């Protein structure tokens, strides 16, 4: 078959390196898949077909002349549209940057390309990565490949849908509060948010700078290890990126971890959690137990999720996260003012302030405006101590909880999201309900920890259910090995929605 | 006029902005250079494009620490970067990376020299580092241009306590600060290029009827010259006093708070500025793109050791050690290098006073012509010491030494060799001098007659003849010998 969607990224990489599949054929196959399935999914904001074919031809020539083509040689990848590329556009799915062409390429993307990868296109997302369903895209929503009436999650919904629908071999997303892990769970793929400082943020359009990390979205755990190895490592262009050696995450991937202690944070199994997801996670714990792991009950008191008598859910972590992220966003997005680049109003303006107002009114969607307003409020004098400063203290407490928990276990096992993929439009009316989508993922960003989201299985209705593994800082190798243990033992790996089998 | 019955005390503080003399900008690698065509020293970082990140220039921190240390400040062991949010077209990110609650330096002082020798200690509240903004350019009728060459240039903001009570004190502190930052190599502090800018805050405390009346504090932004600063302070003192006299109950700090006024360059006075509708809320918060800076003890000690002698200390040493006058010592401590040149020549064995005469004579004249410092005219300590030594030993006289000095500056080389080549060594040989004296007497009978007649013209005519002899000798004749011979030949008393 011309469709190579039965191959994982790692397998395709090997096939290209071995000469059984050319890079041109790989790109061609994915372009064909895009032609066939993309109209139903809407994962891409831009497909860079011509450039991808040129790059593929160059890889093939390289291979034919006996030169090394790199550890990702010829792999067609999709890139979230908030990662700058010096070719094509970088829109952040915002009207504000609809025609923005960056004169530079994000370090993570440049590293993938240096390793031989080919950028197939830029994927849809919630505008400026603000959202949990990709419905906040300034252009159009993306459909979940498992059920087109449902959302793919967000904000990296385009990347997750593209991998799930096999419209690319693998993808990059960004995760500020769960934006890689939740869409990965909704679309039945693997997604990792690395330790803060593991991957350079240079070229990632900032949302919440102290929380943002770039990470892989892949078909399985091994592909995730492959991509992470290529993008991780220090970068002189990002002061917050740590110059710490990067191991080969694939080398020991197949080796099970002995005496693994798996912690179940009891606060995460409250009424707020869908019963079917709760039982999937418990089943996953049993799988680990069957592999010789010990299951440990741990507590993350400041990440607890409260449900009141009327069923209203609340969480310190969510409150803390939204204050920190919105405060940073209000500052990060101040630069989009129509003066230097990006959208500028075509209407008549009275003065510079009028230009700012009209430009921003037209360029930003309502969720972005909401977060800028809330963030500006939280940083205003008189409110700073009560909101921002208090949020920073809560953040510290949340981090301390994780440190304490890791005194008793090697990693945490927990849900990714409280539900499976919900229907398009189901939560758009109430932003607060949408914010609760992040309830199990945001603590990880606040604490700067790595988190891996992988499929636990399918629900009765045939939708993917994700599970999350959380480890101490720089324990990516441990998470990947533990994830691989589950894949092997459960047989849940490389899930493919029906649409990819036709 | 200020009524003597009202005991008026001006209370003045200064904010001083100093652009640091780094090769590159504060958070990117663009050139830090004034005067290039608009928007040529820019990159994605300093024009605030999406997704880019600042990376701190350690050299800027080093220079700022140097200034802080020289200002006797407590240098922070840990300092961090904050974002100061406000919207302005010349601020591409619409926030400025600055330092809010943990500045690099705190609580220091600088001595402002007053009358000869006297000083007043002005307290420094803080000195923090930030990035400069760009410039709006109004050279087109329909548009405002934005030049971002200056955006991201490292800027040190030094804030004094309101310790100055007279315009003289303000000017003295401003000049001392100017000299200090140049001395340390921290800034060129060229005010035409905006490398040093002043923002005074001024009000009056008026003792009147047994109470202290305080006038509203006025802050004037962006003064680009000493003159503008001086005029602003003078003008404000009078304006505020008159405003208070006109309305002693209304024109009060408690009622009107702080005000901003602008400076009108042409009229040399401050002008009313429309009050901002709301107080500025900069929404400071820690910049998540940058990590904190740890200034450890070895770094602090290295900075301290690198500072060396400061201008006022050196000036005192010159007055005490070299027995220079205040004026001489002051002139030689305008910059570090000129004093270094003097000290090296003295260390090489030269007489300080002779060196100083050479440096402040021809040296200062040449420096003035060239618009540079004395050190920059290009005489080496060795040449200076050699020439001073020749003067002390009588091998050359002052007139000839000045000529040699000029040649050394132009062509370099050894003063002794030059003097010999040009025949400028002092001539003591009586025969040669006598010949010149005879020639001068023969050629100037009228002057001879005037000398011999005595009276009013005698002194002048004698001086003329002396000059003629010196000219004939091309400055090499030993003046004492010339005088002795002239007197004896003209038959006037040898001793005067
Ligand atoms: Zn730059």
């Amino acid at each position: 078959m011309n469709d190579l969607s039965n191959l994982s990224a790692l397998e395709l990489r090997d096939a290209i390196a071995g000469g059984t599949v050319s890079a041109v054929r790989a790109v061609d196959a994915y372009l064909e898949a895009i032609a066939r399935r993309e109209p139903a999914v809407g994962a891409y904001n831009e497909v860079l077909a011509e450039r991808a074919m040129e790059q593929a031809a160059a890889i093939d020539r390289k291979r034919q002349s006996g030169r090394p083509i790199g550890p990702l040689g010829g792999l067609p990848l999709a890139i979230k549209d908030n990662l700058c590329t010096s070719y094509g556009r970088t829109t952040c799915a915002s009207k504000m940057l609809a025609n923005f062409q960056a004169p530079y390429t994000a370090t993570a993307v440049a590293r993938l390309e240096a390793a031989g990868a080919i950028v197939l296109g830029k994927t849809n997302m919630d505008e400026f990565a603000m959202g949990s369903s990709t419905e906040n895209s300034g252009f159009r929503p993306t459909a979940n490949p498992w059920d087109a009436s449902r959302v793919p999650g967000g904000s990296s919904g385009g990347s997750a849908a593209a991998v799930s629908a096999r419209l690319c071999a693998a993808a990059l997303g960004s995760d500020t509060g769960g934006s890689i892990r939740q869409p990965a769970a909704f679309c039945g793929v693997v997604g990792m948010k690395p330790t803060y400082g593991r991957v350079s943020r240079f070229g990632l359009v900032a949302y919440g700078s102290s929380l943002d990390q770039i990470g892989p979205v892949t078909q399985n755990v091994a592909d995730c290890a492959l991509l992470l190895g290529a993008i991780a490592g220090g970068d002189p262009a990002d002061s917050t990126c740590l110059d710490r050696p990067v191991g080969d995450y694939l080398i020991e991937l197949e080796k099970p971890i002995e005496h693994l202690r798996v912690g179940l944070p009891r606060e995460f199994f409250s009424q707020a959690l869908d019963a079917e997801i709760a039982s999937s996670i418990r089943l996953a714990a049993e799988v680990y137990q069957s592999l010789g792991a010990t299951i440990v009950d741990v507590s993350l008191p400041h990440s607890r999720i409260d449900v009141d008598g009327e069923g209203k859910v609340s969480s310190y972590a969510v409150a803390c996260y939204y204050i920190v992220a919105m405060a940073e966003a209000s500052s990060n997005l101040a630069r989009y003012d129509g003066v230097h680049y990006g959208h500028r109003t075509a209407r008549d303006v009275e003065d510079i302030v009028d230009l700012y107002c009209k430009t921003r009114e037209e360029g930003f969607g309502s969720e972005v405006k909401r977060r800028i307003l809330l963030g500006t409020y939280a940083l205003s004098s008189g409110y700073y101590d009560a909101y921002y400063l208090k949020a920073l203290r809560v953040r510290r407490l949340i981090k301390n909880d994780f440190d304490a928990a890791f005194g008793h276990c090697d990693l945490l096992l927990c849900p990714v999201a409280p539900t499976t993929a919900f229907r398009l439009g189901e939560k758009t009316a109430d932003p607060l309900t949408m914010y609760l989508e992040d309830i199990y993922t945001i603590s990880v960003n606040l604490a700067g920890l790595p988190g891996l989201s992988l499929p636990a299985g399918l629900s009765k209705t045939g939708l993917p259910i994700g599970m999350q593994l959380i480890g101490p800082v720089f324990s990516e190798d441990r998470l990947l090995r533990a994830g691989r243990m589950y894949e092997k033992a459960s047989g849940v790996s490389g899930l493919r929605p029906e649409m990819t089998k036709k | 006029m200020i009524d003597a019955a009202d005991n008026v005390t001006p209370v003045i503080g200064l904010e001083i902005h100093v652009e640091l003399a780094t090769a590159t900008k504060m958070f990117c690698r663009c050139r830090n250079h004034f005067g290039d065509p608009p928007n040529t020293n820019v990159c994605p970082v300093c024009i605030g494009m999406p997704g880019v990140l600042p990376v701190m220039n350690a050299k800027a921190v080093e220079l700022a620490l140097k200034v802080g240390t020289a200002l006797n400040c407590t240098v922070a062991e840990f300092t961090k970067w904050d974002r100061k949010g406000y919207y302005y077209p010349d601020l591409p990110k619409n926030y400025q990376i600055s330092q809010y609650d943990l500045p690099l330096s705190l609580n220091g002082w600088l001595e402002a020299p007053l009358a000869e020798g006297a000083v007043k200690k002005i307290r420094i509240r803080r000195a923090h580092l930030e990035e400069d903004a760009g410039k709006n350019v109004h050279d087109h009728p329909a548009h405002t241009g934005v030049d971002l060459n200056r955006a991201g240039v490292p800027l040190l903001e030094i804030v004094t306590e309101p310790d100055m009570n007279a315009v003289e004190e303000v000017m003295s502190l401003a000049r001392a600060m100017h000299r200090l930052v140049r001395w340390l190599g921290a800034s060129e502090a060229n005010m035409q290029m905006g490398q040093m800018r002043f923002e005074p805050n001024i009000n009056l405390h008026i003792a009147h009827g047994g109470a202290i009346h305080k006038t509203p504090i006025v802050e004037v932004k962006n003064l680009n010259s000493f003159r503008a600063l001086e005029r602003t302070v003078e003008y404000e003192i009078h304006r505020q006093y008159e405003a208070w006299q006109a309305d002693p109950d209304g024109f009060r700090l408690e009622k009107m708070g702080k005000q901003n006024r602008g400076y009108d360059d042409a009229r040399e006075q401050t002008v009313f500025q429309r009050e901002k509708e709301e107080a500025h809320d900069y929404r400071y918060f820690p910049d998540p793109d940058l990590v904190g800076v740890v200034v450890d003890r070895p770094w602090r000690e290295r900075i301290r050791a690198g500072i060396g002698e400061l201008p006022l200390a050196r000036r005192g040493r010159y007055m005490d050690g070299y027995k220079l006058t205040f004026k001489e010592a002051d002139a030689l401590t305008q910059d570090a290098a000129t004093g270094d040149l003097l000290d090296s020549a003295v260390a090489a064995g030269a007489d300080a006073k002779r060196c100083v005469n050479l440096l402040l004579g021809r040296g200062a004249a040449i420096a003035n012509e060239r618009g540079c410092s004395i050190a920059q005219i290009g005489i080496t300590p060795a040449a200076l010491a050699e020439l001073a030594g020749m003067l002390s030993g009588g091998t050359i006289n002052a007139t000839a030494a000045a000529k040699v000095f000029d040649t050394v500056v132009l062509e370099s080389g050894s003063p002794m060799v030059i003097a010999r080549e040009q025949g400028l060594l002092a001539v003591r040989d009586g025969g040669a001098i006598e010949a010149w004296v005879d020639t001068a007497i023969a050629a100037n009978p009228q002057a001879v007659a005037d000398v011999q007649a005595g009276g009013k013209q005698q002194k002048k005519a004698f001086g003329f003849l002396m000059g003629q002899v010196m000219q004939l000798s091309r400055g090499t004749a030993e003046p004492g010998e010339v005088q002795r011979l002239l007197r004896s030949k003209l038959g006037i008393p040898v001793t005067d």
Side-chain angles (χ1 to χ4, degrees):
Chain A
M1 62 187 255
N2 195 29
D3 192 340
L4 298 170
S5 68
N6 57 327
L7 297 184
S8 73
L10 195 59
E11 287 162 348
L12 180 59
R13 191 266 318 247
D14 290 342
I16 295 169
T20 53
V21 174
S22 72
V24 165
R25 186 165 161 240
V27 168
D28 200 42
Y30 277 109
L31 288 176
E32 213 180 293
I34 289 170
R36 229 172 28 242
R37 297 193 287 269
E38 165 68 359
V41 181
Y44 283 95
N45 287 341
E46 187 178 20
V47 176
L48 301 158
E50 203 173 317
R51 186 177 181 276
M53 284 307 276
E54 283 166 14
Q55 303 269 304
I59 293 277
D60 287 338
R61 280 197 301 276
K62 234 182 183 176
R63 204 192 67 78
Q64 279 151 16
S65 65
R67 282 177 292 159
I69 58 169
L72 301 180
L75 275 189
L77 304 183
I79 304 295
K80 189 178 182 180
D81 213 3
N82 61 350
L83 288 159
C84 291
T85 48
S86 61
Y87 39 85
R89 282 172 309 224
T90 300
T91 70
C92 295
S94 178
K95 290 190 176 72
M96 189 62 93
L97 294 176
N99 293 306
F100 177 70
Q101 291 177 289
Y104 42 87
T105 296
T107 300
V109 179
R111 286 189 176 160
L112 290 179
E113 292 191 289
I118 294 165
V119 173
L120 211 47
K122 308 289 286 281
T123 55
N124 198 19
M125 53 188 280
D126 287 297
E127 185 180 6
F128 284 104
M130 296 178 184
S132 306
S133 68
T134 312
E135 290 166 292
N136 293 335
S137 165
F139 306 138
R140 59 186 151 61
T142 293
N144 189 315
W146 291 83
D147 177 348
S149 72
R150 292 178 187 271
V151 301
S155 65
S156 310
S159 286
V163 174
S164 167
R166 303 300 188 263
L167 303 175
C168 60
L172 285 189
S174 69
D175 190 315
T176 307
S179 278
I180 287 176
R181 290 161 289 158
Q182 183 255 20
F186 278 18
C187 293
V189 296
V190 172
M192 177 181 262
K193 193 231 49 115
T195 305
Y196 187 79
R198 177 74 290 189
V199 179
S200 166
R201 293 186 295 117
F202 181 84
L204 166 65
V205 178
Y207 157 29
S209 311
S210 73
L211 304 154
D212 296 340
Q213 268 294 287
I214 298 165
V217 182
T218 58
Q219 300 173 36
N220 60 35
V221 172
D223 287 0
C224 186
L226 176 68
L227 258 68
L228 182 65
I231 61 173
D235 176 9
D238 178 0
S239 319
T240 65
C241 184
L242 275 87
D243 193 10
R244 192 185 153 109
V246 182
D248 184 341
Y249 295 114
L250 282 165
I251 280 185
E252 293 205 302
L253 187 67
E254 299 297 330
K255 209 171 121 195
I257 303 167
E258 283 172 42
H259 314 298
L260 185 67
R261 293 171 305 163
V262 176
L264 293 181
R266 71 178 83 109
E267 288 81 2
F268 283 6
F269 295 87
S270 73
Q271 283 172 266
L273 183 62
D274 173 271
E276 201 180 2
I277 294 178
S279 72
S280 296
I281 305 301
R282 293 218 162 82
L283 276 173
E286 283 169 26
V287 169
Y288 280 112
Q289 223 163 1
S290 74
L291 295 171
T294 324
I295 304 301
V296 190
D297 172 51
V298 296
S299 175
L300 300 172
H302 296 92
S303 298
R304 82 168 181 270
I305 296 146
D306 297 321
V307 183
D308 70 8
E310 292 163 20
K312 270 183 83 176
V313 180
S314 64
S315 141
Y316 286 146
V318 171
C320 169
Y321 166 80
Y322 276 95
I323 288 168
V324 172
M326 290 181 190
E328 291 178 1
S330 72
S331 169
N332 285 330
L333 272 65
R335 67 189 67 194
Y336 308 112
D337 59 6
V339 174
H340 300 94
Y341 52 80
H343 176 71
R344 177 188 285 188
T345 186
R347 288 184 278 171
D348 286 340
V349 295
E350 284 171 27
D351 55 19
I352 184 75
V353 174
D354 196 29
L355 172 84
Y356 293 152
C357 293
K358 285 179 173 148
T359 297
R360 288 165 72 81
E361 181 199 325
E362 295 163 7
F364 289 141
S366 57
E367 183 59 33
V368 172
K369 285 176 190 158
R370 180 178 297 120
R371 295 193 192 194
I372 291 172
L373 286 170
L374 290 170
T376 304
Y377 182 82
L379 288 178
S380 297
S381 71
Y383 301 101
Y384 182 87
D385 289 6
Y387 292 100
Y388 188 75
L389 214 55
K390 191 177 279 179
L392 290 190
R393 287 199 202 103
V394 174
R395 186 174 185 173
R396 166 58 54 186
L397 294 172
I398 288 170
K399 170 128 184 45
N400 291 348
D401 286 351
F402 277 103
D403 290 345
F406 290 126
H408 305 288
C409 64
D410 303 310
L411 50 80
L412 301 172
L413 168 65
C414 66
V416 181
T419 63
T420 52
F422 48 88
R423 292 193 186 279
L424 283 155
E426 188 180 326
K427 298 195 177 187
T428 43
D430 182 2
L432 277 178
T433 325
M434 190 72 94
Y435 293 172
L436 293 172
E437 268 303 303
D438 300 331
I439 211 158
Y440 303 113
T441 45
I442 49 178
S443 305
V444 173
N445 299 76
L446 289 167
L449 305 174
L452 178 69
S453 164
L454 68 159
L458 292 178
S459 72
K460 288 192 210 80
T461 54
L463 291 172
I465 293 173
M467 60 187 247
Q468 183 175 209
L469 300 176
I470 302 166
V473 290
F474 295 105
S475 66
E476 283 83 355
D477 52 344
R478 190 189 300 172
L479 297 184
L480 290 164
R481 279 172 71 188
R484 184 70 192 122
M485 284 166 72
Y486 179 80
E487 275 187 345
K488 277 201 278 194
S490 67
V492 180
S493 177
L495 297 182
R496 289 167 56 193
E498 271 311 308
M499 73 181 320
T500 66
K501 299 174 185 168
K502 284 173 199 148
Chain B
M1 276 304 293
I2 290 178
D3 187 339
D6 298 325
N7 194 345
V8 178
T9 310
V11 177
I12 307 156
L14 267 186
E15 269 183 39
I16 303 166
H17 296 248
V18 179
E19 282 185 3
L20 298 180
T22 52
T24 57
K25 293 188 181 182
M26 186 70 238
F27 296 112
C28 65
R29 298 211 180 145
C30 290
R31 257 180 106 204
N32 170 12
H33 188 254
F34 179 86
D36 292 328
N39 299 312
T40 50
N41 297 328
V42 295
C43 73
V45 174
C46 58
I47 66 176
M49 296 198 91
V52 297
L53 297 168
V55 176
M56 186 189 86
N57 179 347
K59 178 74 185 169
V61 176
E62 180 108 11
L63 292 180
L65 287 173
K66 229 173 153 177
V67 176
T69 306
L71 289 173
N72 309 291
C73 287
T74 306
V75 168
E77 290 173 35
F78 176 81
T79 182
K80 67 177 174 70
W81 302 100
D82 300 285
R83 293 184 183 178
K84 177 183 183 179
Y86 64 94
Y87 281 76
Y88 205 69
D90 68 8
L91 190 69
K93 301 184 294 295
N94 287 324
Y95 63 79
Q96 179 187 31
I97 305 176
S98 182
Q99 301 192 294
Y100 182 53
D101 53 345
L102 293 174
L104 269 172
S105 306
L106 275 170
N107 302 330
W109 44 266
L110 179 63
E111 286 178 334
L114 300 175
E116 297 207 357
V119 291
K120 178 166 180 177
K121 243 185 207 185
I122 308 296
R123 288 172 300 157
I124 305 294
R125 185 180 298 166
R126 58 185 279 160
H128 73 256
L129 201 46
E130 60 189 26
E131 51 175 352
D132 209 344
K135 257 184 218 165
N136 284 358
V137 183
H138 306 279
D139 60 357
H140 189 280
H143 307 285
T144 296
V146 182
D147 176 6
L148 296 177
N149 280 350
R150 199 179 71 179
V153 163
L155 192 66
L156 185 66
E157 182 174 321
I158 303 162
V159 185
T160 78
E161 296 291 343
D163 284 352
M164 289 155 281
N165 304 114
V167 67
E168 295 76 22
E169 295 178 11
V170 175
M171 296 317 293
S172 170
L173 181 88
R175 293 208 162 90
M177 194 68 82
H178 184 251
R179 186 189 304 201
L180 181 73
V181 296
R182 288 168 54 89
W183 186 275
L184 296 169
S187 175
E188 305 277 330
N190 183 320
M191 281 182 267
Q192 277 103 54
M193 296 180 183
Q195 289 166 343
M196 190 167 197
R197 318 194 283 266
F198 302 106
E199 293 186 7
N201 51 78
I202 308 152
N203 78 338
L204 305 179
H205 290 192
I206 303 167
H208 179 82
I212 300 286
H213 292 204
K214 296 180 183 176
T215 60
I217 296 172
V218 165
E219 192 169 292
V220 186
K221 301 257 182 206
N222 261 324
L223 300 176
N224 276 318
S225 68
F226 285 127
R227 179 166 181 87
L229 175 63
E230 188 166 29
R231 292 297 301 130
T232 293
V233 175
E234 280 170 354
Y235 182 83
E236 269 306 307
I237 290 171
H238 285 95
R239 186 193 68 80
Q240 290 187 23
Y241 182 69
E242 278 161 21
W244 171 80
Q245 275 186 319
D247 182 12
D249 294 322
F251 195 71
R252 301 277 280 271
L253 180 61
E254 315 87 80
K255 296 197 176 152
M256 297 174 69
K258 292 189 179 187
Q259 301 177 324
N260 286 318
R261 285 177 74 86
Y263 180 70
D264 182 331
D265 231 345
R267 286 156 61 202
E268 296 198 327
Q269 60 187 43
T270 66
V271 290
F272 179 76
Q273 276 184 334
R274 194 171 56 92
E275 292 298 314
K276 301 211 169 69
E277 281 120 39
E278 54 198 303
H280 248 307
D281 183 351
Y282 291 117
R283 301 185 306 280
Y284 280 102
F285 79 105
D287 191 332
D289 288 337
L290 288 157
V291 292
V293 187
V294 176
V295 187
D296 59 12
R297 185 195 280 266
W299 194 9
R300 288 203 301 278
E301 280 169 5
R302 218 166 49 243
I303 300 268
R304 188 169 289 285
I307 284 179
E309 191 181 34
L310 290 172
L312 291 196
R314 179 172 279 188
R315 191 173 69 192
R317 175 165 67 80
Y318 285 179
M319 290 167 71
D320 297 342
Y322 295 164
K323 306 291 174 212
L324 305 188
T325 65
F326 174 84
K327 262 200 161 143
E328 288 169 334
D330 194 56
L332 288 164
T333 49
Q334 289 301 316
D335 62 304
T338 302
D340 291 346
L341 171 63
L342 170 64
D343 287 340
S344 304
V346 173
D351 175 60
K353 197 79 188 179
R354 297 217 184 256
C355 292
V356 169
N357 290 342
L358 286 166
L359 289 176
L360 294 181
R362 285 307 298 155
I366 296 168
N368 195 34
E369 279 163 27
R370 296 192 189 168
C372 66
S373 73
I374 297 173
Q376 284 168 332
I377 64 173
I379 187 164
T380 63
L384 180 62
E386 189 179 324
L387 190 54
M390 287 162 68
L391 277 165
S392 301
T395 346
I396 196 164
N397 65 44
T399 321
K403 286 185 189 161
V404 172
F405 190 95
D406 287 5
T407 310
V408 169
V409 166
L410 275 176
E411 299 166 9
S412 73
S414 149
M416 183 59 98
V417 173
I418 290 165
R420 194 174 294 132
E421 277 172 6
Q422 301 190 352
L424 291 170
L425 290 174
V427 175
R428 290 156 187 257
D429 167 32
I433 295 176
E434 192 172 355
W436 288 320
V437 167
D438 289 345
T439 311
I441 288 172
N444 298 287
Q446 182 60 48
V448 170
D450 286 349
V451 170
Q452 287 169 339
K456 275 205 296 192
Q457 294 298 318
Q458 187 187 45
K459 207 171 179 180
K460 198 180 160 196
F462 188 81
F464 173 77
L465 287 170
M466 276 288 295
Q468 291 300 301
V469 178
M470 292 309 288
Q471 214 167 50
L472 287 167
S473 78
R474 296 176 45 257
T476 61
E478 211 282 304
E481 183 64 12
V482 176
Q483 199 169 46
R484 197 185 61 76
L485 274 171
L486 258 181
R487 284 174 187 271
S488 96
K489 294 210 176 228
L490 295 172
I492 57 169
V494 174
T495 50
D496 196 35

